[in-house]
């Protein structure tokens, strides 16, 4: 299982990322302080680091600089509320592999994590196709194949399909799907989940996703 270190001092964001990564089959660890992050990375047990810029103690740029100076080569994705060009340049110059401004959508974070892990050779080809029964979801091409029928999915349909295929036969609530696919800033009263489940049913077959009244949806 791929281990990811989340360096983030905002509990709301770190727990959102942590839950999402666990749900996606990764092994996440959260640390909320820059200096502690250096010690965690030194254990050698992390394949990728998500690094917030604004941290107590030393900031994310300083953590980045020290990690690279120490010869750490794992992919590092910077997270920040600041969206200035200067920060992006500082981060990339400092040896960050990617840069994601907050608020971000969880599926965008996932796509970047997969890309950076693939580049660093940490993610095997076998892990790029998810299967359940005759449904195959290709993480690289964003296509779904059901039996002999292949369809392209939009980014959002794909993220939703991924949640179902990773948790087959489990009831997933609207709230779970909303937070994992649409992100932490989405209006909980929105009916967007129902709308996208309908789109997805159109692509994988209406009978594949069951409505569990009052609870959510289940891939059967
Ligand atoms: Ca912060």
């Amino acid at each position: 299982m791929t281990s990811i270190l989340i360096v983030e001092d905002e509990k709301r964001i770190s727990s959102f990322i942590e839950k999402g990564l666990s749900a996606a089959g990764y092994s996440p660890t959260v640390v909320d302080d820059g200096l502690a992050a250096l010690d965690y990375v030194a254990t050698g047990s992390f394949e990728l680091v998500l690094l917030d810029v604004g941290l107590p103690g030393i900031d994310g740029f300083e953590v980045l600089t020290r990690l690279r100076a120490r010869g750490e080569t794992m992919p590092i994705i910077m997270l920040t509320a600041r969206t200035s060009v200067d920060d992006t340049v500082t981060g990339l110059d400092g040896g960050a592999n990617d840069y994601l401004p907050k608020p971000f959508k969880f599926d965008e974070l996932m796509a970047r994590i997969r890309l950076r892990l693939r580049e660093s050779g940490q993610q095997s080809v076998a892990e790029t196709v998810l299967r359940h029964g005759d449904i195959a979801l290709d993480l690289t091409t964003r296509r779904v194949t059901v039996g002999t029928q292949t369809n392209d999915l939009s980014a959002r349909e794909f993220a939703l399909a991924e949640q179902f295929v990773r948790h087959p036969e489990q009831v997933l609530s609207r709230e779970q799907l909303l937070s994992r696919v649409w992100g932490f800033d989405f209006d909980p009263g929105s009916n967007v989940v129902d709308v996208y489940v309908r789109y997805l049913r159109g692509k994988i077959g209406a009978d594949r996703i069951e409505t569990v009244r009052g609870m959510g949806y289940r891939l059967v």
Side-chain angles (χ1 to χ4, degrees):
M1 198 183 273
T2 306
S3 297
I4 296 181
L5 183 65
I6 305 163
V7 189
E8 168 64 68
D9 60 322
E10 225 176 305
K11 186 86 185 85
R12 181 181 68 107
I13 297 175
S14 63
S15 69
F16 161 72
I17 300 174
E18 185 182 22
K19 279 186 212 144
L21 287 180
S22 297
Y26 292 93
S27 168
T29 300
V30 174
V31 55
D32 61 5
D33 167 285
L35 282 171
L38 295 173
D39 295 336
Y40 273 74
V41 173
T43 63
S45 32
F46 299 97
E47 275 96 23
L48 183 142
V49 178
L50 298 175
L51 181 57
D52 184 32
V53 170
L55 289 170
I58 57 173
D59 75 10
F61 292 133
E62 182 61 25
V63 173
L64 174 70
T65 305
R66 294 198 199 178
L67 288 177
R68 292 304 188 219
R70 229 160 61 178
E72 301 285 0
T73 58
M74 80 275 289
I76 298 177
I77 301 175
M78 306 291 293
L79 308 174
T80 183
R82 292 179 261 169
T83 53
S84 85
V85 174
D86 282 355
D87 276 359
T88 310
V89 171
T90 309
L92 295 175
D93 277 356
N97 300 80
D98 209 338
Y99 200 93
L100 196 56
K102 295 180 205 167
F104 50 81
K105 304 289 188 281
F106 191 72
D107 60 341
E108 188 182 359
L109 176 65
M110 286 304 302
R112 298 207 190 192
I113 288 174
R114 280 196 294 267
L115 174 66
R116 298 310 163 196
L117 286 174
R118 265 204 308 281
E119 281 175 353
S120 70
Q122 296 288 350
Q123 189 150 356
S124 70
V125 175
E127 281 177 304
T128 62
V129 178
L130 298 177
R131 291 175 198 282
H132 174 66
D134 63 348
I135 301 176
L137 197 59
D138 190 319
L139 300 177
T140 30
T141 61
R142 290 196 165 179
R143 284 188 179 139
V144 65
T145 303
V146 182
T148 54
Q149 182 76 37
T150 297
N151 274 308
D152 287 317
L153 298 177
S154 72
R156 206 66 84 198
E157 289 166 350
F158 182 85
L160 188 62
E162 184 178 353
Q163 288 302 318
F164 283 117
V165 175
R166 286 195 189 273
H167 306 93
E169 315 293 342
Q170 288 177 34
V171 179
L172 300 174
S173 71
R174 282 181 184 75
E175 292 71 30
Q176 281 173 324
L177 293 169
L178 199 55
S179 84
R180 291 176 191 172
V181 177
W182 279 268
F184 48 85
D185 282 327
F186 217 87
D187 170 17
S190 163
N191 72 340
V192 71
V193 172
D194 310 272
V195 170
Y196 272 83
V197 164
R198 199 159 63 235
Y199 293 159
L200 195 56
R201 278 175 171 154
K203 294 194 174 172
I204 69 170
D207 55 339
R208 300 301 177 116
I209 302 172
E210 196 176 82
T211 303
V212 183
R213 198 166 292 280
M215 294 180 71
Y217 296 102
R218 173 166 57 200
L219 182 70
V220 292

